């Protein structure tokens, strides 16, 4: 593990350079500072980034000696987007030469790589032209280029009959979980601490939902997504209260998709599933993450593999015809053999869609905070493993339909959603491609206003703390009121 420094002469594009360095050296410590500042220590590898008015210079020093030096011409002040792209190509090319490594996604550092082919498709580009552009401009591999273009085409086809610019989607957050998973970075709260205040939380949540309906007026609602946390931590009567309020509050005339993320098997009961079936919910998730019991125990998932199978079959018996399952690749101690076992078990169940996540070690997770305890365990992901998951999806009659990436993602790969025909998650596409405004209710929920076809995005955040959300609900409504007024231009 190297101690790496990045020195800039201006405060600009730091994240892009940092992300590329971390992609090549994921286990290393990377620190940034600026010319004139004192370095935090001795660096085994140092990148010096110098912006001029007409050029960018990159010098890489290894053990104090210059090993690479490159310069590229660009008009810094006039062409910011091009400046960033030139800089990323410069850094990527030098690190590729230094390490002998080529990254699957080349120099792309954003979390939505499919936005590039989607935009070009909408401009009338052919698939072959897009492929050439992605490989030449960003160094994306042939495999990932093909994946991105395939997904962009499918997304475009799924959305073609949806007037998403004039409608909106609704996200409803239930921030409670039976326990907090080792890798979790979401604003989740252990149910045991809040069980006596869940009804208070629902009081505030229902008030916010009513406000959203009134404020959005006649705008059509297209998708509803109840997520978390774990929505099925609600008791049956609490779930019924929430779903009945949504049903009588919102106009469902134009709703194309209604998802309840049932999530963890240890939170699901027959009675809860029966409550959900009373409403026009047409998509649920039963998420095992892995089908290896040893891993489930390690990461804090307090359920068994058998419980996952039993709950899935119960949902089928009750008539749920669109069930998604989530998997995480790169969990501690899991390599090809463990992933292969999980995929074999998933194939037997045959869900309607499958979301494959590459583990992302975010700073807020316990897995990252206490990572030294897991040093002897692998955090493995590879192109071979990703191909195994793709083959599993194909075996079940699924194709890829959405994709996104995260910071610090295992192996510099991606998260991919696979689905059978007509079973793709529309909400997932809308939020990832930033095609539609998402009104979000609940503690930690983030509303996203999409202006002018996605050329401008504005967010309105709710406080994450449950107690603060309950006490300050009127303040949350005022935040939304201002955002909705600007969005609707009223």
């Amino acid at each position: 593990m190297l101690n790496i420094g990045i020195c800039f002469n201006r405060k600009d594009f730091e994240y892009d350079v940092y992300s590329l360095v971390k992609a090549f050296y994921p286990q290393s410590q990377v620190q940034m500072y600026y010319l004139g500042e004192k370095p935090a220590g001795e660096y085994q590898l140092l990148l010096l980034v110098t912006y001029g008015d007409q050029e960018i210079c990159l010098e890489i020093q290894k053990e104090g000696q210059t090993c690479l030096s490159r310069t590229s011409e660009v008009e810094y002040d006039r062409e910011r987007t091009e400046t960033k792209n030139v800089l990323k190509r410069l850094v990527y090319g030098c690190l590729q030469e230094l390490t002998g490594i080529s990254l699957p996604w080349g120099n792309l550092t954003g979390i939505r790589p499919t936005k590039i082919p989607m935009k070009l498709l909408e401009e009338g580009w052919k698939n072959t032209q897009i492929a050439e552009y992605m490989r030449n401009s960003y160094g994306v591999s042939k495999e990932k280029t093909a994946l991105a273009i395939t997904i962009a085409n499918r997304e475009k086809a799924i959305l073609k009959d949806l007037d998403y610019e004039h409608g909106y989607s609704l996200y409803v957050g239930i921030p409670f979980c039976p326990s907090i998973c080792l890798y979790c970075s979401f604003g989740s709260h252990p149910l045991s601490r809040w069980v006596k205040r869940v009804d208070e939380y629902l009081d505030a949540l229902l008030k916010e939902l009513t406000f959203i309906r009134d404020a959005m007026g006649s705008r059509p609602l297209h998708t509803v997504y109840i997520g978390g946390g774990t929505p099925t931590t609600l008791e049956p009567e609490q779930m019924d209260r929430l779903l009945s309020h949504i049903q009588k509050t919102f106009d469902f005339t134009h709703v194309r998709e209604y998802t309840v993320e049932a999530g963890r098997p240890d939170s699901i009961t027959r009675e809860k599933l029966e409550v959900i079936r009373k409403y026009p919910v047409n998509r649920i998730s039963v998420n095992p993450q892995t089908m290896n019991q040893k891993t489930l125990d390690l990461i804090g998932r307090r359920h068994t593999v058998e419980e996952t199978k039993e709950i899935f079959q119960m949902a089928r018996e009750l008539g749920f015809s669109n069930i998604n399952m989530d998997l995480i690749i790169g969990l501690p101690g899991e390599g090809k053999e463990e992933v292969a076992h999980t995929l074999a078990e998933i194939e037997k169940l045959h869900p309607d869609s499958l979301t494959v996540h590459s583990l992302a070690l975010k700073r807020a997770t316990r897995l990252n905070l206490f990572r030294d305890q897991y040093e002897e365990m692998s955090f493995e992901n590879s192109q071979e493993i990703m191909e195994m998951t793709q083959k599993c999806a194909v075996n079940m009659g699924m194709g890829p339909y959405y994709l996104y990436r995260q910071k610090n993602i295992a192996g510099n790969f991606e998260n991919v959603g696979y689905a059978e025909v007509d079973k793709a998650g529309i909400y997932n596409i809308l939020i990832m491609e930033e095609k539609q405004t998402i009104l979000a209710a609940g503690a930690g929920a983030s509303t996203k206003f999409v202006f002018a076809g996605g050329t401008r995005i504005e967010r309105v955040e709710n406080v994450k703390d449950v107690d603060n959300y309950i006490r300050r609900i009127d303040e949350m409504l005022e935040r939304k009121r201002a955002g909705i007024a600007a969005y609707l231009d009223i």
Side-chain angles (χ1 to χ4, degrees):
M1 185 168 69
L2 297 175
N3 193 22
I4 300 174
I6 310 173
C7 179
F8 299 87
N9 73 325
R10 297 190 198 185
K11 293 187 176 183
D12 219 349
F13 307 122
E14 296 99 320
Y15 168 74
D16 298 285
V17 178
Y18 173 86
S19 297
L20 283 172
V21 172
K22 284 294 289 184
F24 278 94
Y25 298 97
Q27 309 298 326
S28 296
Q29 294 293 323
V30 180
Q31 296 173 320
M32 296 185 291
Y33 67 101
Y34 302 94
L35 205 61
E37 294 180 352
K38 185 178 180 181
E42 294 294 324
Y43 299 115
Q44 295 155 300
L45 193 68
L46 177 64
L47 285 75
L48 302 171
V49 181
T50 307
Y51 303 116
D53 293 335
Q54 301 291 325
E55 63 183 16
I56 301 174
C57 299
L58 175 66
E59 181 178 305
I60 300 181
Q61 297 178 2
K62 193 171 184 180
E63 306 293 348
Q65 302 295 316
T66 299
C67 59
L68 279 173
S69 182
R70 299 285 187 273
T71 301
S72 290
E73 293 183 3
V74 66
E75 293 189 50
Y76 181 90
D77 291 318
R78 293 182 61 185
E79 297 289 346
R80 283 189 56 79
T81 300
E82 180 58 20
T83 298
K84 181 171 74 170
N85 289 336
V86 167
L87 171 63
K88 288 166 69 175
R89 285 195 290 269
L90 191 66
V91 173
Y92 180 76
C94 285
L95 292 177
Q96 187 181 39
E97 183 178 337
L98 188 65
T99 63
I101 296 171
S102 294
L103 301 177
W105 287 101
N107 65 51
L108 287 178
T109 54
I111 67 171
R112 297 178 177 88
T114 52
K115 289 189 77 170
I116 297 169
M118 174 67 88
K119 179 176 181 293
L120 298 177
L121 282 172
E122 291 172 342
E123 292 176 1
W125 286 43
K126 296 179 180 178
N127 289 338
T128 53
Q129 294 173 310
I130 298 171
E132 184 178 3
Y133 174 78
M134 291 188 70
R135 290 197 296 267
N136 293 341
S137 298
Y138 303 106
V140 181
S141 70
K142 290 183 179 180
E143 294 79 12
K144 300 307 177 188
T145 295
L147 178 63
I149 294 173
T150 297
I151 289 173
N153 276 280
R154 188 172 183 189
E155 288 178 332
K156 190 168 181 286
I158 291 169
L159 298 182
K160 67 180 175 62
D161 296 325
L162 188 70
D163 187 13
Y164 48 80
E165 289 191 12
H166 295 99
Y168 72 103
S169 287
L170 177 68
Y171 175 84
V172 183
I174 306 298
F176 310 112
C177 280
S179 62
I180 307 304
C181 297
L182 200 61
Y183 54 80
C184 183
S185 63
F186 292 105
S188 300
H189 304 264
L191 181 63
S192 57
R193 286 180 51 197
W194 294 96
V195 65
K196 294 182 180 179
R197 299 194 67 190
V198 173
D199 286 314
E200 283 184 77
Y201 177 78
L202 286 178
D203 290 340
L205 180 62
L206 301 192
K207 183 175 183 178
E208 187 174 17
L209 289 170
T210 300
F211 170 83
I212 289 172
R213 188 280 317 273
D214 292 343
M216 292 303 288
S218 60
R219 288 279 177 137
L221 176 64
H222 287 143
T223 74
V224 179
Y225 192 102
I226 302 179
T230 306
T232 41
T233 51
L234 297 180
E235 291 299 320
E237 60 274 14
Q238 293 168 334
M239 179 67 76
D240 193 46
R241 182 185 173 201
L242 172 62
L243 298 185
S244 66
H245 183 83
I246 292 172
Q247 194 66 32
K248 68 185 181 185
T249 301
F250 292 89
D251 180 359
F252 270 69
T253 303
H254 302 284
V255 172
R256 289 270 300 272
E257 179 181 275
Y258 191 173
T259 298
V260 174
E261 197 173 272
R264 287 176 49 160
D266 51 338
S267 71
I268 305 172
T269 64
R270 176 176 287 272
E271 192 176 359
K272 291 179 185 181
L273 290 176
E274 288 172 342
V275 168
I276 295 170
R277 280 291 290 154
K278 288 169 51 180
Y279 298 92
V281 173
N282 55 14
R283 184 175 181 271
I284 66 169
S285 290
V286 178
N287 299 331
Q289 313 302 9
T290 175
M291 297 295 268
N292 293 286
Q293 191 61 50
K294 182 179 178 181
T295 310
L296 288 173
D297 295 341
L298 174 67
I299 64 178
R301 302 277 289 191
R302 296 175 182 172
H303 63 84
T304 65
V305 171
E306 286 306 311
E307 283 179 305
T308 299
K309 297 176 183 178
E310 290 167 7
I311 294 298
F312 183 90
Q313 297 297 353
M314 183 189 300
R316 282 289 197 233
E317 290 168 12
L318 289 170
F320 288 98
S321 59
N322 190 352
I323 305 177
N324 174 74
M325 300 191 90
D326 280 10
L327 301 178
I328 297 179
I329 305 302
L331 288 169
E334 290 208 352
K336 288 187 294 183
E337 187 175 326
E338 289 77 13
V339 173
H341 172 75
T342 289
L343 295 175
E345 293 299 307
I346 295 297
E347 275 197 54
K348 293 175 187 175
L349 295 173
H350 201 121
D352 306 282
S353 61
L354 180 70
T355 307
V356 180
H357 299 270
S358 292
L359 180 69
L361 286 185
K362 297 183 179 180
R363 287 180 296 177
T365 66
R366 289 185 296 136
L367 183 54
N368 193 47
L369 293 172
F370 303 105
R371 188 167 180 172
D372 58 317
Q373 298 177 19
Y374 306 97
E375 281 184 351
E376 294 182 2
M377 295 183 177
S378 66
F379 292 80
E380 183 176 340
N381 199 5
S382 66
Q383 183 60 36
E384 184 180 0
I385 289 177
M386 296 303 288
E387 287 172 357
M388 286 165 56
T389 63
Q390 183 178 26
K391 183 179 178 182
C392 172
V394 170
N395 290 344
M396 293 187 289
M398 301 178 192
Y401 78 93
Y402 94 112
L403 177 155
Y404 70 101
R405 302 175 68 219
Q406 293 169 274
K407 299 175 185 177
N408 304 323
I409 201 165
N412 193 241
F413 287 104
E414 65 282 326
N415 305 320
V416 184
Y418 298 93
E420 295 178 0
V421 176
D422 298 328
K423 298 296 177 70
I426 300 171
Y427 174 88
N428 291 331
I429 297 171
L430 291 171
I431 195 167
M432 280 304 146
E433 296 302 328
E434 297 182 319
K435 289 292 187 183
Q436 186 177 65
T437 287
I438 311 287
L439 270 294
S446 177
T447 289
K448 182 188 293 185
F449 293 105
V450 178
F451 294 85
T455 56
R456 187 170 110 245
I457 307 291
E458 293 186 6
R459 290 175 171 80
V460 175
E461 312 281 350
N462 283 352
V463 292
K464 293 182 179 181
D465 179 73
V466 173
D467 181 64
N468 271 319
Y469 173 76
I470 294 170
R471 289 190 297 104
R472 296 165 58 190
I473 184 60
D474 290 333
E475 179 189 331
M476 301 304 102
L477 303 190
E478 288 306 310
R479 291 183 185 184
K480 274 194 173 59
R481 191 187 308 279
I484 291 173
Y487 173 67
L488 298 179
D489 194 23
I490 56 177

